[in-house]
Amino acid sequence: QVQLVESGGGLVQAGGSLRLSCAASGSIVSINAMGWYRQAPGKQREWVASITVGGSTNYADSVQGRFTISKDDAKRTVYLQMNSLKPEDTAVFYCHCNAKASPFRAPRDYWGQGTQVTVSS
């Protein structure tokens, strides 16, 4: 099994910054990609950003230019630097990982428990 633990959420004023972290642990054979999703009240969970094992990054249009995803392979940790935050960024942010936990099983998706980000106007 793979466990994901997020940290770094909180309350910030519009225009401010936050940095989220997500550390993967457990029985990990390999990680294909890690990323972040978010779910605002009353809305469906949406993809925010992702980074592949090779370091390629992709972002949702709504965060492009404001958010930066990065990773530390040695620590099996992914980060999300969020700048110029807006009230509409308020959501629970979830860490996502596609990983192989066993050499005999196909890779699967894992999720963290989520961390609240609240941006006040």
Side-chain angles (χ1 to χ4, degrees), residues 26-79:
S27 170
I28 301 174
V29 174
S30 60
I31 295 176
N32 295 322
M34 296 186 77
W36 294 92
Y37 287 67
R38 66 185 179 186
Q39 186 167 17
K43 295 187 177 181
Q44 290 189 333
R45 188 176 299 188
E46 63 174 3
W47 168 73
V48 174
S50 59
I51 186 165
T52 68
V53 63
S56 296
T57 59
N58 285 284
Y59 300 93
D61 289 343
S62 59
V63 306
Q64 181 76 47
R66 299 188 298 123
F67 291 8
T68 302
I69 189 170
S70 61
K71 65 187 178 80
D72 184 328
D73 290 333
K75 296 181 179 179
R76 287 177 171 170
T77 298
V78 64
Y79 306 96

